[in-house]
Amino acid sequence: MRSLGFVILACAVGLAGCDRHSKMMPLAKGAEWEYQATIGLLTRVTTIKVDSPVAVGSSSGFLLTSRQGNSRLAWSGSQLIASQLAGSQFRPPVPLYADLAEGAKLAWKGEIRTAEGTRPASGQLVSAKTKEKLGTQEVAATLTTLTFTEAGRKHEIQTWFAAGTGIIRQEHRSDGQLMTRLIYLSGP
């Protein structure tokens, strides 16, 4: 199974914003998070750092850096969007978080560019309230699930957000196979 070059790690940090939604991904330039990252059979600790301001679609966002690659994230209203996740670029940016009502869906349609070329893709984001382990405590969390199809493959990116911390867990599956997993260790 080939991966689109996603390194979900890059999603693990958030962006500064003025509204209450940015609390789901609190951030300042220079902020760092540490995660236990599993990519294929390899598990290691990785650091993700907020680097410099960049454009993300028509929004102002940040370049996020890690050993696994760079990403571009921004808040656009109540949505956290990504125009790049490691080796994959999205046009328009894909939503990773949105303040959605129970049962509501946010549609996305565009194209994905990787080393393999540019392909059309479409999908949707859904959201649910849940509980998740953060260290030894159970905390209130929001689980978002972004599913999309490209070149006949189905991708699912599940992300657990905790207010004031950001992403506390994230998993990417391609055609049901786990490609990457992140587990929060520390930060911001």
Side-chain angles (χ1 to χ4, degrees):
M1 217 37 60
R2 37 178 206 164
S3 171
L4 283 175
F6 297 138
V7 177
I8 304 303
L9 305 173
C11 299
V13 290
L15 305 170
C18 298
D19 63 21
R20 66 184 174 88
H21 304 292
S22 64
K23 290 179 182 158
M24 296 308 285
M25 293 299 284
L27 181 67
K29 187 174 186 262
E32 294 183 8
W33 282 254
E34 280 193 344
Y35 292 89
Q36 176 185 321
T38 302
I39 303 169
L41 299 175
L42 178 65
T43 298
R44 69 170 121 184
V45 173
T46 193
T47 299
I48 299 169
K49 184 175 181 178
V50 179
D51 195 322
S52 57
V54 294
V56 178
S58 61
S59 299
S60 296
F62 286 96
L63 176 68
L64 309 168
T65 60
S66 75
R67 284 189 291 186
Q68 289 71 31
N70 296 336
S71 293
R72 293 170 180 250
L73 300 176
W75 280 104
S76 179
S78 66
Q79 296 179 24
L80 179 65
I81 58 173
S83 64
Q84 179 182 355
L85 297 176
S88 300
Q89 297 176 0
F90 301 88
R91 194 171 59 193
V94 292
L96 296 176
Y97 173 88
D99 192 14
L100 300 173
E102 184 91 17
K105 298 175 183 178
L106 177 62
W108 176 83
K109 186 174 183 175
E111 60 184 28
I112 299 172
R113 180 188 298 169
T114 66
E116 299 169 350
T118 301
R119 296 172 305 283
S122 62
Q124 65 184 16
L125 182 77
V126 296
S127 174
K129 301 296 182 200
T130 187
K131 298 280 186 182
E132 185 66 17
K133 279 271 203 189
L134 184 59
T136 59
Q137 297 181 338
E138 190 172 79
V139 298
T142 299
L143 166 61
T144 64
T145 303
L146 173 65
T147 55
F148 62 92
T149 304
E150 60 78 32
R153 288 186 301 266
K154 181 180 179 184
H155 296 271
E156 178 181 80
I157 299 173
Q158 291 186 296
T159 309
W160 289 259
F161 293 88
T165 302
I167 292 174
I168 57 174
R169 190 168 123 205
Q170 190 171 61
E171 298 177 355
H172 168 221
R173 287 180 171 74
S174 179
D175 288 334
Q177 180 179 351
L178 181 65
M179 306 302 285
T180 57
R181 174 181 287 141
L182 263 196
I183 299 174
Y184 173 87
L185 297 175
S186 68

